[in-house]
Amino acid sequence: WRQTVLTVLTEFRRTARVNGSARSDHGTAGAAFVVGGAVAGGRVLADWPGLHPAALFEGRDLAPTLDLRAVAKGVLAGHLRLPAAAVEAAFPGSADVAPLGGLLRG
């Protein structure tokens, strides 16, 4: 267990506000969970913009504050120790997204 990292990333999101049919649409911001014995856990690594109307993305959606590719890249680079070229190959076109550091125990 102490060498384990489990990453759960979701692409399924819903808007904070309902639409004209009293339902929610596909949303923008999601969540990621990184758990395991190798994880420096016990914290939330994001900003909480809130649900106030002025804080909503496009006036109806939770605003994203962290690119989930940064989380996945941080696990690939830090835990699996993949070289930068392999990490970039896993996420083509994301060179501007740096791996998130500090996810794992030192």
PDB file of all heavy atoms in Angstrom, residues 12 14 22 43 46 52 60 77 83-84 88 101:
ATOM      1  N   PHE A  12     -17.128  13.558 -16.571  1.00  0.00           N
ATOM      2  CA  PHE A  12     -18.567  13.794 -16.506  1.00  0.00           C
ATOM      3  C   PHE A  12     -18.831  14.905 -15.501  1.00  0.00           C
ATOM      4  O   PHE A  12     -18.555  14.753 -14.317  1.00  0.00           O
ATOM      5  CB  PHE A  12     -19.312  12.524 -16.101  1.00  0.00           C
ATOM      6  CG  PHE A  12     -20.800  12.700 -16.140  1.00  0.00           C
ATOM      7  CD1 PHE A  12     -21.462  12.667 -17.354  1.00  0.00           C
ATOM      8  CD2 PHE A  12     -21.519  12.922 -14.987  1.00  0.00           C
ATOM      9  CE1 PHE A  12     -22.842  12.839 -17.409  1.00  0.00           C
ATOM     10  CE2 PHE A  12     -22.893  13.085 -15.032  1.00  0.00           C
ATOM     11  CZ  PHE A  12     -23.553  13.050 -16.250  1.00  0.00           C
ATOM     12  N   ARG A  14     -21.513  18.445 -14.478  1.00  0.00           N
ATOM     13  CA  ARG A  14     -22.814  19.082 -14.658  1.00  0.00           C
ATOM     14  C   ARG A  14     -22.723  20.556 -14.286  1.00  0.00           C
ATOM     15  O   ARG A  14     -21.930  20.949 -13.441  1.00  0.00           O
ATOM     16  CB  ARG A  14     -23.877  18.412 -13.780  1.00  0.00           C
ATOM     17  CG  ARG A  14     -24.284  17.054 -14.274  1.00  0.00           C
ATOM     18  CD  ARG A  14     -24.989  17.199 -15.580  1.00  0.00           C
ATOM     19  NE  ARG A  14     -25.470  15.921 -16.087  1.00  0.00           N
ATOM     20  CZ  ARG A  14     -26.046  15.795 -17.254  1.00  0.00           C
ATOM     21  NH1 ARG A  14     -26.236  16.833 -18.028  1.00  0.00           N
ATOM     22  NH2 ARG A  14     -26.450  14.622 -17.667  1.00  0.00           N
ATOM     23  N   ALA A  22     -35.390  22.760 -16.505  1.00  0.00           N
ATOM     24  CA  ALA A  22     -35.202  22.434 -15.085  1.00  0.00           C
ATOM     25  C   ALA A  22     -34.249  21.257 -14.887  1.00  0.00           C
ATOM     26  O   ALA A  22     -34.386  20.490 -13.949  1.00  0.00           O
ATOM     27  CB  ALA A  22     -36.530  22.178 -14.396  1.00  0.00           C
ATOM     28  N   ARG A  43      -5.497  16.895   1.821  1.00  0.00           N
ATOM     29  CA  ARG A  43      -5.690  18.296   1.449  1.00  0.00           C
ATOM     30  C   ARG A  43      -6.417  18.386   0.119  1.00  0.00           C
ATOM     31  O   ARG A  43      -6.534  17.412  -0.612  1.00  0.00           O
ATOM     32  CB  ARG A  43      -4.352  19.012   1.370  1.00  0.00           C
ATOM     33  CG  ARG A  43      -3.428  18.392   0.365  1.00  0.00           C
ATOM     34  CD  ARG A  43      -1.956  18.575   0.748  1.00  0.00           C
ATOM     35  NE  ARG A  43      -1.156  17.688  -0.051  1.00  0.00           N
ATOM     36  CZ  ARG A  43      -0.337  18.091  -1.003  1.00  0.00           C
ATOM     37  NH1 ARG A  43      -0.167  19.371  -1.222  1.00  0.00           N
ATOM     38  NH2 ARG A  43       0.337  17.233  -1.709  1.00  0.00           N
ATOM     39  N   ALA A  46      -6.806  22.967  -4.999  1.00  0.00           N
ATOM     40  CA  ALA A  46      -7.535  23.785  -5.974  1.00  0.00           C
ATOM     41  C   ALA A  46      -8.046  25.020  -5.263  1.00  0.00           C
ATOM     42  O   ALA A  46      -8.036  25.091  -4.034  1.00  0.00           O
ATOM     43  CB  ALA A  46      -8.699  23.008  -6.576  1.00  0.00           C
ATOM     44  N   HIS A  52     -21.401  31.713  -6.192  1.00  0.00           N
ATOM     45  CA  HIS A  52     -22.038  33.020  -6.350  1.00  0.00           C
ATOM     46  C   HIS A  52     -22.169  33.298  -7.840  1.00  0.00           C
ATOM     47  O   HIS A  52     -21.274  32.947  -8.623  1.00  0.00           O
ATOM     48  CB  HIS A  52     -21.179  34.103  -5.673  1.00  0.00           C
ATOM     49  CG  HIS A  52     -21.832  35.430  -5.657  1.00  0.00           C
ATOM     50  ND1 HIS A  52     -21.725  36.324  -6.692  1.00  0.00           N
ATOM     51  CD2 HIS A  52     -22.618  36.014  -4.736  1.00  0.00           C
ATOM     52  CE1 HIS A  52     -22.410  37.404  -6.409  1.00  0.00           C
ATOM     53  NE2 HIS A  52     -22.972  37.239  -5.216  1.00  0.00           N
ATOM     54  N   ARG A  60     -23.103  30.276 -15.355  1.00  0.00           N
ATOM     55  CA  ARG A  60     -23.932  29.115 -15.031  1.00  0.00           C
ATOM     56  C   ARG A  60     -23.169  27.875 -14.624  1.00  0.00           C
ATOM     57  O   ARG A  60     -23.745  26.846 -14.338  1.00  0.00           O
ATOM     58  CB  ARG A  60     -24.832  28.770 -16.211  1.00  0.00           C
ATOM     59  CG  ARG A  60     -24.056  28.612 -17.488  1.00  0.00           C
ATOM     60  CD  ARG A  60     -24.923  28.290 -18.667  1.00  0.00           C
ATOM     61  NE  ARG A  60     -24.825  26.879 -18.818  1.00  0.00           N
ATOM     62  CZ  ARG A  60     -25.768  26.032 -19.182  1.00  0.00           C
ATOM     63  NH1 ARG A  60     -26.888  26.402 -19.507  1.00  0.00           N
ATOM     64  NH2 ARG A  60     -25.606  24.766 -19.265  1.00  0.00           N
ATOM     65  N   ALA A  77       4.824  11.455 -13.990  1.00  0.00           N
ATOM     66  CA  ALA A  77       6.217  11.883 -13.820  1.00  0.00           C
ATOM     67  C   ALA A  77       6.760  11.530 -12.442  1.00  0.00           C
ATOM     68  O   ALA A  77       7.887  11.055 -12.314  1.00  0.00           O
ATOM     69  CB  ALA A  77       6.325  13.392 -14.049  1.00  0.00           C
ATOM     70  N   PRO A  83       9.867   9.691 -18.283  1.00  0.00           N
ATOM     71  CA  PRO A  83      10.581  10.877 -18.769  1.00  0.00           C
ATOM     72  C   PRO A  83       9.600  11.894 -19.354  1.00  0.00           C
ATOM     73  O   PRO A  83       8.485  11.545 -19.771  1.00  0.00           O
ATOM     74  CB  PRO A  83      11.515  10.319 -19.841  1.00  0.00           C
ATOM     75  CG  PRO A  83      10.979   8.982 -20.196  1.00  0.00           C
ATOM     76  CD  PRO A  83      10.190   8.484 -19.019  1.00  0.00           C
ATOM     77  N   ALA A  84      10.024  13.142 -19.403  1.00  0.00           N
ATOM     78  CA  ALA A  84       9.152  14.226 -19.871  1.00  0.00           C
ATOM     79  C   ALA A  84       8.567  13.938 -21.247  1.00  0.00           C
ATOM     80  O   ALA A  84       7.391  14.227 -21.501  1.00  0.00           O
ATOM     81  CB  ALA A  84       9.912  15.544 -19.872  1.00  0.00           C
ATOM     82  N   GLU A  88       4.561  13.881 -22.072  1.00  0.00           N
ATOM     83  CA  GLU A  88       3.984  14.734 -23.105  1.00  0.00           C
ATOM     84  C   GLU A  88       3.285  13.901 -24.181  1.00  0.00           C
ATOM     85  O   GLU A  88       2.246  14.291 -24.706  1.00  0.00           O
ATOM     86  CB  GLU A  88       5.042  15.636 -23.732  1.00  0.00           C
ATOM     87  CG  GLU A  88       5.569  16.705 -22.792  1.00  0.00           C
ATOM     88  CD  GLU A  88       4.483  17.597 -22.210  1.00  0.00           C
ATOM     89  OE1 GLU A  88       3.562  18.004 -22.944  1.00  0.00           O
ATOM     90  OE2 GLU A  88       4.536  17.880 -20.999  1.00  0.00           O
ATOM     91  N   GLY A 101       3.260  19.204  -9.147  1.00  0.00           N
ATOM     92  CA  GLY A 101       4.186  18.667  -8.156  1.00  0.00           C
ATOM     93  C   GLY A 101       3.548  18.587  -6.785  1.00  0.00           C
ATOM     94  O   GLY A 101       2.452  19.088  -6.545  1.00  0.00           O
TER      95      GLY A 101
END
